[in-house]
Amino acid sequence: MNKINDEYVIIKANEDGVNVIGLTRGQDTRFNHTEKLDKGEVMIAQFTEHTSAVKVRGKATIQTKHGTIESE
């Protein structure tokens, strides 16, 4: 299995209007996808050959294989 494809991030919104933004790989980093989550909604995101980073704006719980963090 491709190592990139088995990296997942779970994001649970702790307030309405949490933005989840996927950023591309390559020479120029660009936004490639955005989602808006309301309180209690959960998104499971996967890193791919096109997505190298995820930005979370708003209060959310973020879980990865490395642990859990609360965004402010």
Side-chain angles (χ1 to χ4, degrees):
M1 179 175 262
N2 185 338
K3 279 297 202 188
I4 293 171
N5 291 332
D6 53 357
E7 291 285 334
Y8 290 89
V9 177
I10 300 170
I11 302 151
K12 180 180 179 186
N14 294 331
E15 66 181 0
D16 287 343
V18 171
N19 287 301
V20 180
I21 304 161
L23 302 166
T24 62
R25 292 185 183 277
Q27 207 165 16
D28 297 321
T29 301
R30 298 175 192 208
F31 297 116
N32 70 343
H33 186 81
T34 61
E35 285 289 329
K36 187 172 274 191
L37 303 177
D38 287 329
K39 186 174 183 177
E41 289 186 321
V42 173
M43 179 176 180
I44 300 171
Q46 181 180 30
F47 289 100
T48 67
E49 60 189 54
H50 301 292
T51 302
S52 63
V54 174
K55 179 178 180 177
V56 177
R57 187 176 287 153
K59 291 184 181 184
T61 302
I62 304 152
Q63 294 179 314
T64 72
K65 69 179 184 180
H66 303 287
T68 301
I69 189 165
E70 300 285 330
S71 65
E72 298 176 14

